[in-house]
Amino acid sequence: MTTSMAYRLLGAKRISIDTSFKRLHGWQEFEIEAWDNEHMRSVTGARAFTTSQTAQAHLILFRRIFQIAEEDTGLPVSFYHIHGSGYESIVADGHMGQGLGLGMFCIELCRNNRMFCIYERNRRLCDLEPYDHLRRFYRVCITHFKRNVFALHKYVKSEVYSAMLSLASSEPHPDINKTLAIIRRGGRKAQAWLKDKLETNKNHLESMPINYKWQ
């Protein structure tokens, strides 16, 4: 990460994080990107190589990346829901450790912050759990979401496949509970897919570009 990259990284309001498994055998390439409005393209803010996808490994990545960026620029990392400025949203490809590691990093930032959350006025920032932080800014990439659903289209009925895709929409969902029931009745692979979204990656449904009406 060069100094100019660090300035871009810390000056952005909306960034994306992604992991590639294709460049180096035995290593994964972790990357943070920001959108450059002037040149209308995505630019890399930081790149690192890792052999682990765990939450703890990602926590170390976020610590080191933002520590180096602050040392190079004199600017601290900031999140809008914590500091009132900084990152408003972060789009991710959905690997399990990424989100949780980022939520754990936010906990460290708020360890001594007794201010009340701007979204839940009755909760102090220092009391928020990792997934509480993620609900405020973390979004799963719609392309990755649909790609993973498409991989199951040969194994589930069309009704189940459509129900899965319907979970990602900018419009209010007409009946989320009925849709989840359809997926649960869709067989072993559909059940495993839904369990991952509801239990393993607890924030995935809340992190997609959806407007749910839970009942």
Side-chain angles (χ1 to χ4, degrees):
M1 177 170 53
T2 65
T3 301
S4 62
M5 292 166 66
Y7 273 112
R8 285 186 180 276
L9 176 64
L10 295 178
K13 295 184 179 298
R14 290 165 288 278
I15 61 175
S16 65
I17 57 179
D18 187 28
T19 301
S20 172
F21 298 85
K22 298 179 180 180
R23 293 181 186 269
L24 286 176
H25 178 69
W27 291 82
Q28 296 97 53
E29 181 183 4
F30 177 78
E31 192 172 66
I32 304 179
E33 297 182 340
W35 184 254
D36 185 334
N37 283 326
E38 181 180 354
H39 299 95
M40 296 300 291
R41 63 186 178 90
S42 181
V43 294
T44 300
R47 180 182 288 116
F49 292 91
T50 179
T51 57
S52 175
Q53 286 293 301
T54 66
Q56 188 63 38
H58 281 90
L59 173 59
I60 294 171
L61 280 174
F62 289 120
R63 280 177 184 162
R64 292 293 293 127
I65 288 171
F66 289 118
Q67 177 188 358
I68 293 170
E70 181 174 355
E71 289 173 352
D72 282 353
T73 65
L75 302 173
V77 61
S78 59
F79 291 76
Y80 181 78
H81 77 285
I82 298 174
H83 307 97
S85 62
Y87 299 136
E88 297 173 357
S89 67
I90 296 180
V91 177
D93 56 15
H95 289 120
M96 185 171 71
Q98 285 183 357
L100 184 54
L102 185 56
M104 293 162 63
F105 178 72
C106 288
I107 283 185
E108 293 188 350
L109 293 179
C110 294
R111 186 166 291 152
N112 299 314
N113 192 331
R114 304 180 69 83
M115 298 290 291
F116 285 91
C117 177
I118 60 174
Y119 297 112
E120 291 184 83
R121 299 289 184 176
N122 62 329
R123 302 187 66 186
R124 295 179 303 178
L125 290 169
C126 60
D127 295 329
L128 297 181
E129 297 295 328
Y131 289 113
D132 294 326
H133 284 285
L134 294 179
R135 279 193 288 270
R136 287 146 175 76
F137 63 85
Y138 191 78
R139 299 293 177 262
V140 173
C141 171
I142 191 66
T143 300
H144 285 85
F145 171 76
K146 289 186 175 181
R147 183 187 301 162
N148 292 333
V149 173
F150 180 75
L152 298 175
H153 82 284
K154 295 180 179 179
Y155 306 100
V156 299
K157 295 181 178 179
S158 59
E159 178 189 33
V160 178
Y161 181 66
S162 297
M164 290 175 166
L165 289 177
S166 75
L167 293 179
S169 172
S170 58
E171 300 296 326
H173 201 286
D175 196 334
I176 182 63
N177 293 316
K178 179 181 178 181
T179 299
L180 297 181
I182 291 173
I183 298 173
R184 288 191 180 97
R185 296 194 299 267
R188 181 174 58 84
K189 287 186 178 293
Q191 292 167 3
W193 180 88
L194 186 60
K195 181 179 180 180
D196 174 73
K197 302 298 176 290
L198 294 177
E199 298 179 24
T200 305
N201 289 297
K202 298 179 182 180
N203 67 308
H204 264 209
L205 290 186
E206 294 176 341
S207 299
M208 288 187 289
I210 309 171
N211 189 352
Y212 286 140
K213 290 183 177 179
W214 294 93
Q215 297 178 359

